[in-house]
Amino acid sequence: MKKYQVAGIGNAIVDVITRTDDSFLDHMGIEKGIMQLIERERAEVLYGAMERRTQAPGGSVANTLAGIGSLGLRTAFIGRVRDDALGRFYAEAMAGDGTDFVNPPVPDGELPTSRSMIFVSPDGERSMNTYLGISAEIGPDDVSEDVAAHTEVMFLEGYLFDKDKGKEAFIKAARTCRAHGGKAGIAISDPFCVERHREDFQRLIENELDFVIGNEDEIRSLYQNDDLEADLRRVAEACSLVVCTRSGNGDTIIREGHRTDVPVDKIVPMDTTGAGDQFAAGFLYGLVLGHDMMTCGRMGGIAAREVISHYGARPEADLKELFRNHGL
């Protein structure tokens, strides 16, 4: 039995949240309802302007691991934070949620710990201002071979693919995990990232990975056929397991040429933040336990539905109880 059932590598971002009004957003020049990347100076100004703020560990793969950990699996997160107040908070919070944060905070790190300043207005809109900081500097030296070798499933975050050392970290993690009998896969994360590195993404999927998870736009971005079915076939030819989420239109899973279409119940979301992250959590939970693809897809859909029913990117309800209530 391996030490970890699922380990992930991704951005370690502290979500810093406060409630505000539209006049404050206008005064600070914050564009309402979108996520935008900001530089260090702007991050420090916005952080200092926040009142009655709350903090939570975030990042796409970290959110997925939190969901998987809440289901009782053994999890680990490979990320990079600085040895500052936010970095120490992040490491301690991940450990407190049951996920090993395997890299200690970096003393005298070159950049501060990454953070996303989230301003919630009275109508529920979330205006996110993200400073990537030190987490985007992750490289192969941050990937412990001991962790990767003792992991059943290694899950990679596509957002980190923008830098060469991030790509090197992915390849090291995937190859080490697979060389010791594990599986490796990726959440594509962002179609714009694929557009910037399409050939590298294709090579990674074709040569290094066992599964791919993405939404319609992300899957389409890989081969640009303007035909989702054609793109799905192309990805399925390159990788043995492909999962495509399509919001309220159901999910499609192709495993070794066999297709499963998973229906979903449509609801009006309160907050779509974390929907893809928690779909991945439910799906990977089912995969690790050896369930069939319909069951894995349904688990992913139930976890995603739970997280879009409230604010925040992590589950609030008992996912195991929800699965039981749906006969899983």
Side-chain angles (χ1 to χ4, degrees), residues 65-115:
L65 291 171
I68 296 171
S70 75
L71 286 161
L73 298 192
R74 303 182 303 278
T75 56
F77 181 60
I78 300 168
R80 188 174 177 84
V81 298
R82 186 175 178 176
D83 189 10
D84 54 20
L86 285 179
R88 291 188 291 273
F89 163 80
Y90 192 97
E92 292 166 4
M94 289 294 291
D97 287 341
T99 294
D100 284 357
F101 190 79
V102 297
N103 295 338
V106 180
D108 302 319
E110 63 276 20
L111 294 169
T113 295
S114 309
R115 76 285 307 266

Side-chain angles (χ1 to χ4, degrees), residues 276-302:
D277 303 339
Q278 295 313 317
F279 174 89
F283 181 85
L284 292 177
Y285 173 76
L287 186 69
V288 167
L289 296 186
H291 291 303
D292 61 87
M293 291 297 97
M294 178 61 76
T295 300
C296 293
R298 288 183 63 200
M299 286 178 165
I302 291 166

Side-chain angles (χ1 to χ4, degrees), residues 12-248:
I13 300 176
V14 179
D15 289 337
V16 187
I17 306 168
T18 190
R19 295 191 176 275
T20 189
D21 54 30
D22 289 352
S23 62
F24 176 86
L25 298 181
D26 291 340
H27 176 69
M28 297 301 296
I30 297 170
E31 190 168 351
K32 185 176 178 179
I34 70 165
M35 192 285 285
Q36 54 187 348
L37 296 178
I38 58 176
E39 297 300 323
R40 179 173 180 173
E41 183 177 349
R42 172 73 167 165
E44 292 172 348
V45 169
L46 292 181
Y47 185 79
M50 301 177 87
E51 297 181 357
R52 297 183 298 279
R53 55 185 177 241
T54 59
Q55 298 177 172
S60 178
V61 162
N63 290 335
T64 295
L65 291 171
I68 296 171
S70 75
L71 286 161
L73 298 192
R74 303 182 303 278
T75 56
F77 181 60
I78 300 168
R80 188 174 177 84
V81 298
R82 186 175 178 176
D83 189 10
D84 54 20
L86 285 179
R88 291 188 291 273
F89 163 80
Y90 192 97
E92 292 166 4
M94 289 294 291
D97 287 341
T99 294
D100 284 357
F101 190 79
V102 297
N103 295 338
V106 180
D108 302 319
E110 63 276 20
L111 294 169
T113 295
S114 309
R115 76 285 307 266
S116 181
M117 277 67 68
I118 303 170
F119 298 88
V120 183
S121 43
D123 58 3
E125 286 276 13
R126 294 160 65 92
S127 306
M128 305 172 69
N129 299 262
T130 302
Y131 169 61
L132 291 178
I134 197 173
S135 71
E137 300 301 314
I138 197 166
D141 291 344
D142 296 301
V143 178
S144 164
E145 292 195 12
D146 185 58
V147 171
H150 290 89
T151 292
E152 292 182 30
V153 173
M154 179 64 67
F155 193 42
L156 313 175
E157 181 179 311
Y159 286 124
L160 283 177
F161 212 64
D162 259 331
K163 294 193 176 183
D164 287 341
K165 54 187 175 182
K167 298 174 186 176
E168 293 169 10
F170 278 8
I171 291 172
K172 179 180 178 181
R175 288 181 179 174
T176 304
C177 180
R178 298 177 85 199
H180 290 82
K183 303 289 187 183
I186 193 168
I188 299 177
S189 300
D190 182 8
F192 299 109
C193 187
V194 175
E195 289 176 10
R196 292 190 292 272
H197 307 279
R198 183 168 288 109
E199 291 184 0
D200 285 342
F201 257 106
Q202 291 173 358
R203 279 193 292 269
L204 182 75
I205 290 168
E206 291 168 8
N207 300 316
E208 309 289 352
L209 301 181
D210 301 289
F211 65 90
V212 176
I213 300 176
N215 63 29
E216 288 181 87
D217 291 336
E218 292 158 0
I219 294 294
R220 286 177 187 271
S221 67
L222 283 168
Y223 295 101
Q224 295 181 292
N225 291 319
D226 198 30
D227 179 344
L228 180 62
E229 293 299 321
D231 288 327
L232 279 170
R233 287 193 295 271
R234 287 286 302 275
V235 185
E237 289 170 0
C239 191
S240 60
L241 174 56
V242 179
V243 184
C244 178
T245 60
R246 294 181 292 163
S247 299

